[in-house]
Amino acid sequence: MMKGIILAGGAGTRLYPLTQFMSKQLLLVNGKPMILYPLSFLVQVGIKEVLLITRPKDASAFRQLLGDGERFGISLEYAIQQEPKGIAESFIIAGSFIGDDDVCLILGDNFFYGQSLFNDLKHKKYFSPARGAGATVFGYEVEESQHYGIATLDQSNQVIEIEEKPLQSKSNIAITGLYCFDHRVTEFAKRVVPSKRGELEITSINQMYLERGELTVELLGSDVSWFDMGTHEKLRDASSFIERIEAQAGQCILGPVDLWWLNYVRDKRVSIATGGMTPSDLSPLSLTKGLPTKSKTRLAVSYGQRLWLLSTALSLVYVELLHHTSSALYKEPTNCCRNHHQRLTGPNNDIVYDRK
C-alpha cells in the first residue's frame, strides 16, 4: 500500500506580502485554496491515507478546512513541522505514519496535470514487483536550473548525478515536488546532515538511493504540465493554465475535491443569505466545524480572522497591481464547475498551454 504526504510548511517568503499573515497553501488559485490541488492529486491516484505536515500556526486552519478527509473518501491526519528545516525532515516527522509502507510525497505548492502521470501512479507502475524497492522522482525540463534540484542523465536516461540548485548545471532536468519512496526513506532521512543552508535536503536522500542503484528518474511526458506555485509569476501562470484547461475541456479538473468545494461555497453563500453566518466566518480559521451558536459570538471577529481578512484584501490589491487583473486568481466558478461535472481529467494530449 502507498500512503501520501503533503508538505504544507515554509514561510512562503517568495510570495510576500500575500503570505505575511497566512499560509501560501491557503491562497486562492483560480478560485480555490492552493492546498486542494496537491490533495486532489493524491485522491485521484487512489491514495487513501494522507498526512498533511504544516506549521503550528496554520494547523487549525487546515483542520477546519479539510477535516479528517472523510468528505474526500480518504483518511487525513496532521503533523507539525516546528521550523522549515527541509523536505527530508518530513519523513522523520512522518516515521510512525509511514511504517512499513511505500510513500508518495507532494509539495503543497506543486500542481501536476496529465493523464499519463495519473494512470501510472494509480496503477502503481513505479512500485511494481518487477521494479522492486527503491525510489522514483519525476523530471521536467526547465530553463532556470539554479532554482531546482537537477538530475543529470546518461544516454539511456539513467540518472548519474543529482545536484541541489547548482549555479552552473550540466542538465536542465529539474526534479519536481513529487517523490515516491519505499519505507526505508525514514531511516535514510535520519542520516541526512544539514546543508550549508541549515536544512535537511531531499537531494541527500535521493543520493543515498542513487548510490545503491535504486533511484529512478521518470521524465514527465509531453501531456503532463507541472507548476511550482511558490512565486507570484508561477502562481499567475498556474491560475491561467487551470482556467484555460477548464474552459476548453468543459469540466473541473479536481474531480471529487472540486465537487466538494463547489458545494461548500454554495452552502456558505446560502447560509450568509439567510443570516446563518457572517462573512467573517468564511475565514480559513472558521470554515466547517465548531461554528459558534450564540448570535453575539457569531458577530464577533477574532484577531486572527481580522488578520486573514486584511491579508486577503491586500492579496487582491497586490495581484491587481502586478498583473493588471486578478480575474485569473479570484473569480467565480466556470460554467462547467457550476454544472458539477465530475470527470477527472481533460482529453489526452490536448496542448492548451505552451509551456516554456
Side-chain angles (χ1 to χ4, degrees):
M1 181 178 67
M2 184 185 291
K3 295 179 179 178
I5 297 175
I6 302 175
L7 179 57
T13 54
R14 294 181 297 168
L15 281 169
Y16 271 11
L18 305 185
T19 53
Q20 193 165 359
F21 302 112
M22 65 187 297
S23 167
K24 67 179 175 181
Q25 286 87 10
L26 291 173
L27 294 174
L28 298 181
V29 182
N30 197 45
K32 307 176 191 71
M34 182 187 295
I35 191 64
L36 294 187
Y37 292 92
L39 177 64
S40 171
F41 181 89
L42 297 181
V43 170
Q44 292 188 51
V45 301
I47 291 176
K48 298 297 185 182
E49 295 183 41
V50 178
L51 177 70
L52 191 150
I53 300 175
T54 188
R55 300 181 298 179
K57 67 178 183 179
D58 297 324
S60 176
F62 283 113
R63 286 181 183 274
Q64 293 182 60
L65 174 63
L66 304 174
D68 60 5
E70 182 179 1
R71 65 198 66 171
F72 312 117
I74 63 172
S75 170
L76 181 60
E77 300 178 29
Y78 299 85
I80 299 298
Q81 185 180 42
Q82 295 294 338
E83 299 177 5
K85 293 183 179 180
I87 299 173
E89 189 189 26
S90 301
F91 301 107
I92 300 175
I93 295 171
S96 60
F97 170 78
I98 296 171
D100 294 327
D101 294 309
D102 299 329
V103 63
C104 175
L105 182 143
I106 184 170
L107 300 184
D109 59 1
N110 273 224
F111 169 61
F112 294 85
Y113 180 80
Q115 188 67 50
S116 63
L117 179 61
F118 287 153
N119 288 342
D120 288 343
L121 279 171
K122 189 170 185 178
H123 295 96
K124 299 179 176 59
K125 168 186 173 182
Y126 302 114
F127 286 91
S128 65
R131 176 162 291 183
T136 300
V137 296
F138 299 86
Y140 194 89
E141 292 186 8
V142 297
E143 292 183 351
E144 300 175 337
S145 58
Q146 68 272 20
H147 298 310
Y148 306 97
I150 298 295
T152 301
L153 309 179
D154 61 19
Q155 293 182 347
S156 60
N157 282 340
Q158 298 299 308
V159 59
I160 58 177
E161 185 180 13
I162 293 179
E163 302 174 274
E164 178 65 25
K165 299 181 180 178
L167 296 178
Q168 294 183 338
S169 176
K170 305 172 186 177
S171 167
N172 67 340
I173 303 298
I175 297 176
T176 66
L178 179 67
Y179 311 87
C180 295
F181 295 106
D182 62 27
H183 69 278
R184 293 176 298 166
V185 68
T186 300
E187 292 304 316
F188 288 172
K190 294 176 181 178
R191 303 177 196 172
V192 174
V193 177
S195 66
K196 294 180 180 179
R197 301 191 301 163
E199 295 188 1
L200 303 182
E201 306 286 359
I202 189 66
T203 297
S204 298
I205 292 180
N206 291 335
Q207 187 66 35
M208 293 179 189
Y209 280 99
L210 176 60
E211 291 171 355
R212 291 165 172 77
E214 298 177 344
L215 178 67
T216 300
V217 176
E218 291 285 342
L219 297 180
L220 296 179
S222 59
D223 71 315
V224 179
S225 294
W226 167 59
F227 294 90
D228 172 1
M229 299 181 288
T231 67
H232 295 289
E233 180 183 9
K234 297 301 182 183
L235 184 63
R236 177 200 62 196
D237 290 347
S239 295
S240 299
F241 172 82
I242 295 166
E243 182 178 27
R244 194 176 306 179
I245 281 283
E246 292 185 341
Q248 180 172 12
Q251 62 187 40
C252 295
I253 65 175
L254 298 187
V257 174
D258 244 328
L259 185 62
W260 165 79
W261 173 251
L262 294 167
N263 285 332
Y264 168 76
V265 171
R266 179 202 62 196
D267 292 345
K268 294 306 178 190
R269 285 176 175 169
V270 170
S271 185
I272 290 174
T274 59
M277 63 186 295
T278 66
S280 64
D281 291 320
L282 284 176
S283 159
L285 299 174
S286 53
L287 277 171
T288 57
K289 293 184 178 180
L291 293 176
T293 55
K294 295 183 180 179
S295 58
K296 69 175 184 178
T297 305
R298 284 202 304 266
L299 295 175
V301 182
S302 71
Y303 177 68
Q305 291 171 322
R306 289 176 185 273
L307 288 179
W308 184 85
L309 292 170
L310 175 61
S311 175
T312 300
L314 288 174
S315 299
L316 287 167
V317 172
Y318 188 75
V319 172
E320 181 71 23
L321 291 175
L322 275 179
H323 311 301
H324 306 292
T325 177
S326 60
S327 61
L329 288 174
Y330 302 88
K331 70 181 203 58
E332 290 293 312
T334 60
N335 289 333
C336 68
C337 292
R338 282 195 289 266
N339 291 334
H340 286 186
H341 288 265
Q342 297 184 58
R343 291 162 54 200
L344 298 185
T345 59
N348 291 342
N349 301 320
D350 285 350
I351 300 176
V352 298
Y353 183 79
D354 184 15
R355 75 174 187 244
K356 297 181 179 180

